[in-house]
Amino acid sequence: MALQDDGEVIGTETGEEHIRRIVNVIRSRLGIAPSVQIEEVSGRPVIVIQVEPVRELVQCNGRYLRRVGNTNRDFTPEELTRRVLEHSALTWNELPTPWGPDRVDREAHRRFASLVRDRLPQVDPEDPILTLTNLGLIRENRLTRAGALLFAERPQELFPQARLRVGVFKGVTEIADSHEFEGTLWAQLEGAMERFRRLLQVRFEVTSGQLSLGGLRREEVWEYPLPALREAMINALIHRDYTLSADVQIRLYDDRL
């Protein structure tokens, strides 16, 4: 101890073994290398410990802690993710995952390529690795988080919160039906759209158009326009905060969605 509670300098032990023990404790608990020197204050020896500032968060005994009042609190997973992003130059979706290109779902890539081949020349229908690299979804030979959500097999192994749930309610609180969708974001979107086609009311309007062999034209009119629902779900899936543990929820009531 170098100070009394009232601030009086009383000095401390400065032997080589004592200093080595301090350095080893700091390294083992914090994973950082301090510089240590002995100085004299008020005629007594004190140990001066200095560490260089770092951008990344520092663990203490394998935990990330923050000071709240006079206590140390663990960061929640959501808080930790936000702090890591604040200290990096990347967004959440740009960070690499532990998964390599072998986790790419080739069928998901094939369907994607068939939809965009006329608009995105950097998409190669025969080479998913080249496609994802061209789109910035592979970094350092690893899928980014966005790449995993869009094209990986079973992305919920890494991101269990990446789910979409459709619930049908009778009244305010009674759940009549609930269905959960997993897989890639494409699979979640298409699964939910198919669910809507089963759940929503549809009527047919018959109109007479130009003279033709048929003479009449029948048009489907859904309870809610399907293109609007699709757009809303796309926004929910791609703009949500994936640092939060909750899934995307869609609730269908008798009088509203």
Side-chain angles (χ1 to χ4, degrees), residues 166 168 177 179 181 190-202 222-223 226 229 252:
V166 177
V168 180
D177 180 80
H179 205 87
F181 300 92
E190 296 308 324
M193 287 303 299
E194 179 59 31
R195 194 69 183 161
F196 276 131
R197 294 185 183 95
R198 295 173 179 267
L199 294 173
L200 297 180
Q201 300 294 319
V202 62
W222 289 87
E223 184 179 359
L226 296 185
L229 292 179
L252 179 63

Side-chain angles (χ1 to χ4, degrees), residues 11 14 39 44 89 92 126-127 137 142 173 176 194 200 212 214 223-224 227 235 238 257:
T14 58
E39 293 186 4
R44 294 183 172 91
W92 184 93
E126 305 302 324
D127 191 339
L137 299 177
R142 291 186 293 168
T173 59
E194 179 59 31
L200 297 180
S212 65
E223 184 179 359
Y224 296 96
N235 287 335
I238 68 175
L257 175 63

Side-chain angles (χ1 to χ4, degrees), residues 106-120 123-128 131 135 151 186:
R106 292 182 174 271
E107 179 60 23
H109 169 261
R110 186 192 63 77
R111 291 196 300 268
F112 170 74
S114 68
L115 291 172
V116 303
R117 65 178 58 175
D118 295 331
R119 289 176 289 167
L120 297 178
V123 171
D124 186 332
E126 305 302 324
D127 191 339
T131 293
L135 295 176
F151 292 106
W186 314 105

